[in-house]
Amino acid sequence: MTIYSASNRSIESIDPLKQATQTPPSYTPQSETPQYQQSPRMSEHQEYSTPIAAAKPTIGERFHKISSKAGWPLNKAANVIGAEGWWPTSMDKECNKAARILHSFTQLDSSAPPKANGPMHPTGLTRKSMVKIPPAVLRNCAGLAIFNVLRAGACHSSLAGGSGVIIARRDDGTWSPPSAFIVTTLGAGFMFGLDVYDCVCVLNTQEQVSAFTNPRVSLGAEGSIAMGPVGTGGHVESAVSKTAKPMWSYMKSRGLWAGVQIDGTIILSRSDANGLFYNERGITAKKILRGDVAWPMGAKPLFEVLKALEGRLDYDRTIVQEVGMVPPPSEAIMSDKDSSASIYSGPRERHAEETHNVASNETTAYRDEPAPEYKDDDKPQYNKDAGKPEHKDDEEYDMLADEKERLASSAELLRFPGNCGPSHKACGTTYLFHRQSGNELSNMSTTEDLSFAFYGTLIHSPSVQTLEILEQAIVAVSASTGRIIALQANIPKDQVEQTLKALGVPPDRTTHLLSGQFLIPGFVDTHNHAPQWMQRGLGQGMHILDWLSGVTFPNEARFRDPEYARRVYADMVVGMLRQGVTTASYYGSLHGDATCILADTCLKKGQRAFVGKCNMNRNSPDFYRDASVEESLAETERCIRHIQTIDPSNKLLKYVITPRFAISCEGDLLAGLGSIASRNPDLPIQTHFNEAEQEVKATLSLFPDFTNEVDLYSHYGLLKPRSILAHCTIMTDAETQRLADLDCGIAHCPTSNMTVGGGFMAAPVREFLNCGMKVGLGTDSGGGFSSSILDSMRHALIASFSREAASAGREKGLTLEEVFYLSTMGGARVMGMDDKIGNFKVGKEFDAVVIDMNTARGGVNAPIEEEDELRRVFDKFLMTGDDRNMIEVFVKGQKVHSL
Ligand SMILES: Nc1nc2[nH]cnc2c(=O)[nH]1
C-alpha cells in the first residue's frame, strides 16, 4: 500500500494518489520564495540528526554529503550565468526541479508555443519546434525518468552531468515515490560555453522501469530510445498502442525542443540520497519504485503536478501554479532572473485576432500576434568561464576532481553519436544537438495543446443591447491557455464530429449539453466585502454609520486571527464559485495578513479576483482601526507585494487600492493611497461613493473644502478609469457627467441599496447607461443580504422600476437582457477585463457556468416545459434559478466547481 508521510519518518496509511477524499499533510506555500518546505534533514549544510545519521556514516553517505557540498559552488557558478544548479544536491530540490521540468513539458504549462520568428538557438532549431508530451503518452506509460544535464566547458576542459528522479506506475495505477539518480555524460567532447537540457524519459514497459532499479544502467541497453511521439490523434494513439515500445525521450534546451540523443548515457542510482530522504539506510530503488515507502513531504511539488496531470480535481493549485512560475533549468538559463521582461519568464500569452462571425457560421482561427522583436541583447550570452566553478575549499575541489575522474573512468560506457549539429564558429565546438531535417522540423512544429469543447446552447451578451442565444454551438477552449479558440453556431449534430476534428478537439473531450442545459459566461461581482460573509442579512434597515459600528466593525475585527480568516475565506470563495461568480472585486478587512490569506485562497480555489486591504484610520473603534497613516500604507504595500509574488503575471489576481470611504480615512491616508495609485498605474481602485444621505453629509462635514465627493476623491488622485465606485445612489447630473468624463466604473449594488445603509435607495442606472458609463453589478455581500448575482439582477430590475415610477416614466426601467449584461460583460468592463472575460468571444478566457434547468437538479425554479423556447428557459433561470442549477463552473478553462 502506498503511504504518504508528513515528515520523512512518520507514515500514514493512505494512498494520496488514489484516495482523493483523504486529506494530505498540510503544506504552507512560502510566498516570497518558491522553495518548498524541507524536511529538517534535507538541508545541504545541516548535520543529520535522525537515526540514520546517528549511525556511523558509510563511505557512500560521506560521499553524498561532500558531493552535495561540492555541488553547491558549481551550482552557484551556473546560477551566475542564469542556469539553475545542476549538481545533485538534496532530494527536496531534486523533486522540486523534477516537478518544474515535468510541468514545462506538459499541457499544465500555459506558455504560448514559441514564435516562429523567435530567437534562434545556436543549433539552428527555431523556437517553433517546441512541443508538449501528449497526455495519452503520460497516461499509458510505466514510468518517468526526469532529469537535467549541464554541459559546460572551455576549450581545454569540459564537464557534463546531471541528476534527476525516476517514478514508476504501480500495479494499481498510482505513482510510486521518486528515486534519485545521477546522470553521467562524459564524452561531451570539446566544447565552449554552456548548455543545459531538460529531459523526460517516458518508460513504456516494466522492463525499462526495472532497469532503473539497478545501481547502474546504460540508457539504450534495455531497448532502444526514440524521440517520443508528438501531436495529437492517430500518430500518438498508434505509438502508444504498439507492443514493442521503445523508451521515449523528450528534451528541451533553452526552451527549444532539442534533438540530443541520449543512448549510452549512464544512470547511477543515488542510494545514499535515497537513504537520507526515506530515512532508511540501504533502501533500494526497487523498494521505492514498488511503492513500499511513503511519499515524503519534500516531494510534494512533484506529487501535486502528477495529480494535476492525472486530471484530478483535488490537486493543490497553489503548489502547481508556483511550480509553473519558476522556469525549469533549461529555460532559466535564458531568462533574465530579475525581470519579467525576459522572453521566457514573462507571461507568455497569446492574443487572438478576432474575426469570428457567428451568424455566418465562420470559425476564427486562433493566431499568434507577431512575435516581439528579437534584439541582439536577448541572445544567450556564452561565457567561456562558465564551467569553471568557484572553489570554496580544497576538500570540495578535490571531491569534485575525484568525481570527474570517476566518471571519466566509465567513459567506455558513454556514447554520444557523432552526427551532431553545427560547429561552434569560435573554436569548433560541436554541440550535441541534431539538426532536424526540414520535414521533421515541420512535423514537430504542431503544438500539442489539448483542447476541450462544449456542444449545445450558449447564451451571452455581445453588447448591452444584444442577448445572443447560440444554438447547436461549439465552443472550443485551449486547455493550456484557458482561452476560447473557436466558436461556431448552427452545427447540425451529424457534423459535430467532423467540426471538432477540424478544430483539433478530441471527441472524448467534448461535452454535449442536454436539452434544458446551456452555457453562460461567469458572473462578475464588482463589489463584495469578503469578511462580511458571516454577517449577511444582519442589521436590515439600519443606516450606514450605525450599521458599520453596530454590526460590521465588530465582525470584521475577528479577522485579526489568521486562522479564522483562513476558514471563513475558504468557505466564502467556494460559496461564491458555486454561485457562478468567477470574478469578484473583494474588500478585505483592515488586516494585512488576512488580506494576503484572502488572495491566497482565491488563487488556490481558482477564482479571478481583485483583493484589497481596507484602509481606515479613523472613525471606528480602537480595536478596528489602522494604527497610523504610515502603518496603513505600509501594510498596503506589503499586500501589493504579496499578490505580485503569488501571481506575478496577474493570471487571476490583482491588488485593488481600497480606501474604505473618506469618513474612514484622514486626508493624508487618501493622499498616500493616491500616490500608490499613481506609482502603480495597473492597480485598480475601489471605494464607496455617494452611498447614502447620512454618509454624504458626514463626508462633506469632515472635508469642508469640498462640496461633493467627485471633487474630494479626484483631488486625492483616486478617480480614474480603473476606479470602481460602489453605490453612486445620490448623484447630481453634474457629478454623473464628471464620473463619465473620468471614465470611472460603477458597481451597482441594488440589494444593499434597498435594505441597508440609507432606507430605500436606487441608483440612476439608466442615466449611467445613457451616458455610456461602465456599470456592473455588486452583491455588496454582506450589506447585501444575498451573495447571489442572480438576486442582484432581480433587485436591479426592481430598483429600476422604482425609479421609472418615481420619474413618471422618464427613466425607463431595465430589461432582463440589460441586467444579464451588467452581471457579465458590464462587470468585466468595470473591472477593466472586457478584453479577457465577460462573454464567449474568441480569444477571451473561458469563464463559464453550465446551467441545468431540468427538475433533476432538485431546485425550486419554475419548471421548464417541453414547448418552452430557449429564451423562456433562460428567463426562468434568471428569475427563479439558483446555485442548484449551476452544475459546473469554469475559470480560465479550469473547472473550479461542479455539482
Ligand atoms: N455598504 C457598505 N457601505 C460602506 N461604507 C463603508 N463601509 C461600508 C461597508 O462595509 N458596506
Side-chain angles (χ1 to χ4, degrees):
M1 161 158 296
T2 307
I3 27 196
Y4 189 86
S5 67
S7 74
N8 284 10
R9 301 173 77 186
S10 68
I11 288 174
E12 294 172 21
S13 59
I14 57 165
D15 181 340
L17 284 181
K18 276 210 104 180
Q19 301 180 23
T21 49
Q22 300 260 17
T23 322
S26 71
Y27 171 77
T28 316
Q30 284 154 22
S31 54
E32 298 294 335
T33 55
Q35 295 290 329
Y36 295 94
Q37 185 178 316
Q38 298 204 350
S39 48
R41 292 182 301 103
M42 300 316 297
S43 158
E44 293 153 46
H45 304 291
Q46 272 178 320
E47 286 303 318
Y48 305 121
S49 59
T50 57
I52 195 170
K56 197 171 175 321
T58 63
I59 293 173
E61 280 162 10
R62 280 212 308 273
F63 173 76
H64 168 73
K65 189 175 159 191
I66 297 172
S67 69
S68 290
K69 273 177 111 184
W72 182 73
L74 270 180
N75 288 344
K76 247 183 89 181
N79 287 337
V80 169
I81 48 94
E84 179 173 10
W86 57 280
W87 190 264
T89 55
S90 72
M91 259 295 267
D92 300 51
K93 289 183 179 161
E94 289 296 315
C95 291
N96 186 334
K97 182 179 77 184
R100 283 180 289 123
I101 293 175
L102 188 58
H103 185 284
S104 77
F105 273 91
T106 62
Q107 85 274 13
L108 293 177
D109 181 31
S110 61
S111 60
K115 312 289 185 195
N117 55 347
M120 294 287 289
H121 189 270
T123 60
L125 293 176
T126 67
R127 300 191 64 210
K128 198 179 175 189
S129 57
M130 196 172 92
V131 289
K132 309 250 159 141
I133 305 176
V137 167
L138 292 171
R139 263 198 314 273
N140 289 288
C141 68
L144 294 170
I146 308 161
F147 59 96
N148 74 314
V149 173
L150 178 141
R151 301 180 313 114
C155 285
H156 299 294
S157 73
S158 69
L159 180 65
S163 60
V165 298
I166 172 175
I167 50 172
R169 208 184 285 282
R170 290 159 307 174
D171 294 344
D172 60 1
T174 59
W175 284 108
S176 75
S179 171
F181 62 78
I182 54 170
V183 182
T184 67
T185 58
L186 269 189
F190 291 109
M191 67 169 293
F192 179 83
L194 178 128
D195 212 347
V196 177
Y197 60 86
D198 300 333
C199 180
V200 176
C201 259
V202 177
L203 312 177
N204 283 309
T205 64
Q206 266 314 319
E207 293 66 43
Q208 289 162 4
V209 173
S210 302
F212 272 80
T213 60
N214 298 329
R216 170 182 291 210
V217 55
S218 170
L219 288 186
E222 316 294 328
S224 58
I225 302 177
M227 280 171 58
V230 296
T232 50
H235 173 49
V236 172
E237 294 305 327
S238 70
V240 164
S241 63
K242 276 194 188 126
T243 43
K245 294 172 193 159
M247 192 184 292
W248 289 328
S249 66
Y250 289 85
M251 269 181 283
K252 239 190 310 171
S253 177
R254 301 185 185 117
L256 294 158
W257 209 248
V260 184
Q261 233 167 297
I262 54 165
D263 315 43
T265 298
I266 297 298
I267 302 285
L268 299 166
S269 180
R270 292 178 68 202
S271 54
D272 304 302
N274 283 338
L276 288 165
F277 196 47
Y278 292 100
N279 197 32
E280 183 180 328
R281 176 175 292 165
I283 189 169
T284 60
K286 196 172 188 170
K287 181 169 180 186
I288 297 166
L289 297 182
R290 263 200 327 249
D292 291 348
V293 287
W295 271 83
M297 200 59 203
K300 182 113 170 118
L302 178 59
F303 177 77
E304 295 299 334
V305 166
L306 287 167
K307 277 205 307 191
L309 286 173
E310 304 228 311
R312 286 185 30 182
L313 292 173
D314 62 335
Y315 71 89
D316 189 321
R317 272 162 215 287
T318 309
I319 294 178
V320 173
Q321 266 162 359
E322 282 183 3
V323 165
M325 278 172 201
V326 185
S330 78
E331 291 187 30
I333 192 172
M334 274 290 285
S335 59
D336 172 349
K337 282 188 293 176
D338 304 318
S339 152
S340 61
S342 149
I343 51 172
Y344 286 97
S345 59
R348 295 168 286 182
E349 295 203 345
R350 298 191 287 187
H351 299 281
E353 275 176 29
E354 204 170 330
T355 54
H356 173 77
N357 179 340
V358 173
S360 62
N361 194 6
E362 285 170 13
T363 307
T364 309
Y366 188 61
R367 301 197 197 98
D368 281 341
E369 261 189 355
E373 285 265 285
Y374 178 53
K375 289 183 252 94
D376 268 350
D377 298 347
D378 293 329
K379 281 183 189 154
Q381 298 295 310
Y382 294 97
N383 174 354
K384 68 181 167 54
D385 293 329
K388 290 183 188 164
E390 293 167 13
H391 299 298
K392 275 255 162 171
D393 58 42
D394 289 349
E395 183 191 31
E396 287 169 355
Y397 183 81
D398 291 347
M399 206 58 227
L400 181 63
D402 288 352
E403 175 62 355
K404 278 185 72 180
E405 209 168 288
R406 193 176 66 76
L407 299 183
S409 68
S410 48
E412 81 282 359
L413 294 165
L414 299 166
R415 182 161 55 85
F416 271 103
N419 56 335
C420 297
S423 293
H424 189 280
K425 289 210 176 68
C427 67
T429 304
T430 300
Y431 283 89
L432 297 177
F433 289 88
H434 295 271
R435 189 192 279 280
Q436 305 288 330
S437 75
N439 272 346
E440 282 167 324
L441 196 60
S442 58
N443 284 344
M444 289 175 70
S445 70
T446 33
T447 304
E448 167 60 30
D449 178 10
L450 211 51
S451 39
F452 65 91
F454 282 89
Y455 174 64
T457 303
L458 267 73
I459 305 179
H460 70 163
S461 302
S463 71
V464 67
Q465 289 90 15
T466 344
L467 179 77
E468 192 165 52
I469 300 181
L470 304 175
E471 291 181 67
Q472 295 186 302
I474 289 179
V475 60
V477 179
S478 153
S480 61
T481 64
R483 288 179 194 266
I484 298 168
I485 51 176
L487 178 62
Q488 288 191 28
N490 308 318
I491 315 280
K493 256 201 180 123
D494 58 359
Q495 285 173 28
V496 169
E497 203 177 318
Q498 179 193 332
T499 311
L500 289 169
K501 205 165 166 197
L503 294 170
V505 181
D508 63 344
R509 290 176 63 86
T510 301
T511 303
H512 291 249
L513 298 176
L514 307 172
S515 124
Q517 296 182 336
F518 54 91
L519 266 181
I520 58 169
F523 291 131
V524 180
D525 185 351
T526 59
H527 183 77
N528 186 309
H529 290 268
Q532 293 175 16
W533 180 251
M534 307 296 261
Q535 70 172 69
R536 281 172 296 163
L538 304 183
Q540 297 291 287
M542 289 174 84
H543 280 259
I544 186 69
L545 302 181
D546 313 312
W547 174 79
L548 284 171
S549 57
V551 178
T552 302
F553 292 151
N555 169 66
E556 289 191 10
R558 299 193 61 185
F559 288 76
R560 78 173 75 85
D561 172 3
E563 273 321 304
Y564 182 74
R566 217 180 297 277
R567 184 160 60 77
V568 175
Y569 286 156
D571 195 35
M572 188 275 302
V573 173
V574 169
M576 294 308 291
L577 284 172
R578 73 172 295 142
Q579 296 178 91
V581 175
T582 50
T583 302
S585 189
Y586 287 125
Y587 286 61
S589 62
L590 64 72
H591 313 99
D593 285 348
T595 305
C596 294
I597 289 168
L598 175 58
D600 293 344
T601 310
C602 295
L603 190 61
K604 186 169 171 186
K605 309 272 181 206
Q607 189 180 38
R608 209 183 279 282
F610 289 177
V611 175
K613 166 209 148 25
C614 246
N615 297 98
M616 43 187 290
N617 74 331
R618 64 170 173 179
N619 291 319
S620 56
D622 291 350
F623 62 80
Y624 194 56
R625 192 193 307 148
D626 284 329
S628 64
V629 170
E630 293 70 29
E631 192 253 10
S632 186
L633 295 174
E635 278 298 86
T636 302
E637 301 266 17
R638 184 166 76 86
C639 294
I640 292 172
R641 279 196 305 276
H642 178 80
I643 291 180
Q644 281 165 352
T645 304
I646 61 171
D647 189 6
S649 54
N650 304 120
K651 278 185 184 155
L652 291 179
L653 300 182
K654 262 194 182 185
Y655 185 83
V656 51
I657 298 165
T658 308
R660 184 167 205 130
F661 61 171
I663 295 173
S664 286
C665 302
E666 287 171 358
D668 284 353
L669 182 52
L670 292 176
L673 294 170
S675 157
I676 291 178
S678 69
R679 279 181 279 120
N680 297 274
D682 58 321
L683 293 188
I685 304 160
Q686 63 183 356
T687 195
H688 297 87
F689 192 98
N690 281 4
E691 179 177 4
E693 207 180 325
Q694 190 188 36
E695 173 265 320
V696 176
K697 274 193 181 143
T699 303
L700 297 181
S701 70
L702 286 166
F703 291 92
D705 293 345
F706 301 99
T707 54
N708 61 64
E709 294 195 5
V710 181
D711 287 345
L712 191 165
Y713 286 105
S714 68
H715 171 81
Y716 288 108
L718 295 166
L719 296 187
K720 316 242 179 230
R722 54 195 155 107
S723 302
I724 305 173
L725 305 178
H727 305 295
C728 302
T729 57
I730 305 171
M731 301 290 291
T732 62
D733 289 348
E735 280 178 301
T736 300
Q737 195 51 56
R738 289 276 308 285
L739 291 186
D741 293 343
L742 290 162
D743 198 18
C744 296
I746 310 283
H748 175 42
C749 306
T751 310
S752 57
N753 291 162
M754 296 191 294
T755 55
V756 152
F760 187 96
M761 300 170 295
V765 176
R766 175 60 66 204
E767 298 289 319
F768 297 150
L769 292 177
N770 286 345
C771 293
M773 294 176 77
K774 299 175 293 193
V775 186
L777 292 183
T779 59
D780 191 16
S781 152
F785 60 83
S786 167
S787 52
S788 157
I789 286 280
L790 285 172
D791 280 340
S792 298
M793 282 186 234
R794 296 160 192 161
H795 297 153
L797 280 180
I798 299 170
S800 73
F801 297 157
S802 81
R803 285 199 72 106
E804 181 171 346
S807 67
R810 191 184 53 82
E811 242 181 83
K812 284 276 169 275
L814 297 172
T815 63
L816 213 48
E817 287 88 337
E818 285 171 328
V819 293
F820 180 66
Y821 169 89
L822 297 183
S823 73
T824 51
M825 199 50 215
R829 284 190 70 212
V830 167
M831 293 180 69
M833 289 197 240
D834 40 323
D835 58 339
K836 243 188 185 180
I837 56 166
N839 60 24
F840 295 126
K841 272 180 153 182
V842 173
K844 289 197 180 182
E845 296 179 5
F846 185 69
D847 286 13
V849 188
V850 183
I851 306 297
D852 187 343
M853 284 294 283
N854 293 297
T855 44
R857 302 314 322 170
V860 291
N861 54 276
I864 53 172
E865 296 179 279
E866 212 165 308
E867 62 275 20
D868 280 352
E869 287 178 351
L870 283 170
R871 176 60 207 254
R872 207 171 145 94
V873 176
F874 178 66
D875 287 7
K876 283 182 176 179
F877 165 66
L878 288 195
M879 292 311 295
T880 67
D882 57 32
D883 55 294
R884 286 166 291 193
N885 302 106
M886 303 184 197
I887 60 173
E888 285 185 340
V889 180
F890 290 82
V891 176
K892 203 172 161 53
Q894 298 277 330
K895 197 189 292 182
V896 290
H897 167 73
S898 63
L899 279 183

